[in-house]
Every structure is written in structure tokens, then in C-alpha cells.
Amino acid sequence: GLLHIVLDNPDFIGMILLGPPCLEFQWHHHIPKDLASKSFLQTCGDLNVVVGILCGIYLGAFQIRNPIGICLVAFKLIMA
């Protein structure tokens, strides 16, 4: 839900790292069939930058170092 809110906000299009994924994500309002017409790998590729940022936040900012925490972060990133 939070990812959808961030990527759907037009104010984030001007940001350096989030701009291209935001623009790509917002196309679903103008071309609703775009997401359904892409392959699964192409859809995942559109989110690489966002998932990388989330990984940095989870592992860097929260200082998660124990194995269970890292495993939970990995599951969260897989589901992103």
C-alpha cells in the first residue's frame, strides 16, 4: 500500500532515483492494459530501483543484523 502511495504521487516524478519508477507506475492510469500486457519479469524490472531503496532502508537505517531479521527483510523484499 505504501509503495502504491509513493509511486502514484506526481510530486515524486522530479526526484532523482524515484522519478523513472514513478513515471512508469503512473502510466497505469493512462494505459490500464500496460501492466497486464507485460511479462512478469518486465514488471519486476520496473521496480528494481524502488526495491533497492527499500533494501537500503531496511538493512541500513534499521541496522538489522540478526539472521531472523534479515530473513524477514528478504521475504518482505520478495513480496514488494
Side-chain angles (χ1 to χ4, degrees):
L2 183 61
L3 183 65
H4 194 162
I5 292 170
V6 170
L7 292 180
D8 233 0
N9 189 341
D11 295 335
F12 290 120
I13 289 179
M15 295 182 75
I16 294 172
L17 291 176
L18 284 178
C22 286
L23 184 62
E24 180 77 27
F25 188 79
Q26 290 177 22
W27 273 111
H28 78 272
H29 294 290
H30 304 287
I31 308 172
K33 296 179 183 178
D34 183 49
L35 188 62
S37 66
K38 290 182 179 181
S39 71
F40 178 72
L41 290 177
Q42 286 177 323
T43 304
C44 291
D46 291 340
L47 298 173
N48 280 341
V49 173
V50 176
V51 171
I53 292 170
L54 287 175
C55 183
I57 290 171
Y58 287 138
L59 296 178
F62 296 140
Q63 299 294 319
I64 298 173
R65 299 289 180 247
N66 63 18
I68 294 174
I70 291 173
C71 185
L72 291 174
V73 168
F75 287 141
K76 172 65 178 164
L77 292 174
I78 288 170
M79 298 305 288

